[in-house]
Amino acid sequence: MAADLGDLAAFVTVAEAGGFRDGARASGMSASGLSEAVRRLEARIGVRLLNRTTRSVAPTEAGMRLLERLTPALSEVEAALDVINGYRDRPAGTLRLNVPVSAARLILPRIVPPFLAAYPDIRLDVVAEDSFVDVLASGCDAGIRYDERLEQDMIAVPIGPREQRFATVASPAYLDRHGRPEHPRDLLDHACIRGRFASGAMTAWEFARDGDTVRIDPSGPLIVRVGTATDLAVDAAIAGVGIITLFEDWLQPYLDSRALEPVLEPWWPRFSGPFLYYPGRRYLPAPLRAFVDFIGIQRRSP
């Protein structure tokens, strides 16, 4: 009844992804190849592992029991094989990162090109989203998060600037028409462009000055999905739709060109920069170890 390791891995991929197409996207295999591997595995062991419908694929009870045992076992196999990778002249393999859209735009562009140039045998697979998924459950090796979003029992390494600010801005034309706010509460009388997370949450706007913190919940004519539609919000602010608050680094080019004007700059809040985080395994995959070492060198460089 011995099963092929590749067929077992295919089953885990499909079960975790919830379907053959999503499993194909996650693994780089074809959906038909995964389907054949699972069919072959079920035939060999004589037990149905997946319930298939036209809309979904889900493990049977037997499939769930097998998945629970296979997942850590396959992780150990992968870690064992990756130890051999350390004997190569250059680390090789795929490094999967789950990052916020802001990190993909503001942090990684300074890191990815020199990293890939230094490690040409490593392939970087970056998933950019703002839904704050479990990086391991999503099939990623590591993630980038801010400290309030870090998961417990994970190792966190600073990456990117250690301090950032949220900037509040508007177009000069909008401010000429509607006036320039002098206090954060003045924003309650202005058109503000808001962001909504995938969860449906809309966070309050926070301002701080000389120990005084002000939180407001302004309204306005436009709400966008955080991350995926942020550029639309910026374009709308430039066009004079309203006031926006966003990472200062994201808005800096438009401030430099004067397409946007600072609003309430003395009140802009500061916060600590992001972290690369990953599980504290004894043996890190070689591509992840190379990436951790690389950002450490960059951080120490003048």
Side-chain angles (χ1 to χ4, degrees), residues 94-100 108 124-129 133-145 150-151 154-157 159 275-281 284-285 287-289 291-292 295:
T94 298
L95 172 60
R96 298 179 181 88
L97 298 179
N98 183 282
V99 307
L108 291 183
L124 196 57
D125 184 350
V126 178
V127 179
E129 57 186 350
V133 300
D134 182 322
V135 294
L136 299 183
S138 67
C140 293
D141 301 297
I144 295 178
R145 296 288 186 271
L150 291 177
E151 299 174 16
M154 302 285 274
I155 295 175
V157 177
I159 184 171
F275 294 84
L276 175 78
Y277 79 112
Y278 53 91
R281 296 172 179 162
L284 287 182
L288 177 55
R289 168 52 61 194
F291 191 69
V292 171
I295 64 173

Side-chain angles (χ1 to χ4, degrees), residues 184 187-188 192 194 202-207 215-220:
L187 294 174
L188 296 174
C192 294
R194 303 294 304 273
M202 290 175 56
T203 58
W205 288 12
E206 185 171 303
F207 300 86
R215 291 170 60 88
I216 63 169
D217 192 20
S219 61

Side-chain angles (χ1 to χ4, degrees), residues 23-104:
R25 284 193 288 267
S27 66
M29 295 177 62
S30 67
S32 60
L34 289 173
S35 179
E36 175 60 23
V38 173
R39 185 203 61 75
R40 192 166 52 237
L41 175 62
E42 290 177 328
R44 182 171 292 137
I45 64 179
V47 176
R48 176 176 287 277
L49 299 174
L50 296 174
N51 286 322
R52 305 159 175 84
T53 70
T54 56
R55 294 186 176 181
S56 66
V57 173
T60 62
E61 182 177 353
M64 284 299 300
R65 295 293 298 275
L66 180 61
L67 184 64
E68 290 171 359
R69 300 294 296 272
L70 274 180
T71 301
L74 289 176
S75 295
E76 284 299 316
V77 170
E78 184 178 352
L81 291 174
D82 199 68
V83 170
I84 307 302
N85 203 7
Y87 291 91
R88 294 170 51 92
D89 293 335
R90 298 184 303 193
T94 298
L95 172 60
R96 298 179 181 88
L97 298 179
N98 183 282
V99 307
V101 173
S102 59

Side-chain angles (χ1 to χ4, degrees), residues 5 9 23 39 56-57 86 107 133 136 147 149 157 178 182 200 212 219 247 284 299:
L5 187 61
R39 185 203 61 75
S56 66
V57 173
I107 307 300
V133 300
L136 299 183
D147 52 6
R149 296 286 185 176
V157 177
H178 300 282
E182 298 181 359
D212 184 17
S219 61
F247 290 92
L284 287 182
R299 198 170 64 250

Side-chain angles (χ1 to χ4, degrees), residues 241-260:
V241 170
I243 298 175
I244 187 175
T245 186
L246 189 61
F247 290 92
E248 180 181 7
D249 291 344
W250 195 312
L251 296 170
Q252 194 60 55
Y254 310 105
L255 291 169
D256 291 342
S257 68
R258 299 187 179 180
L260 293 171

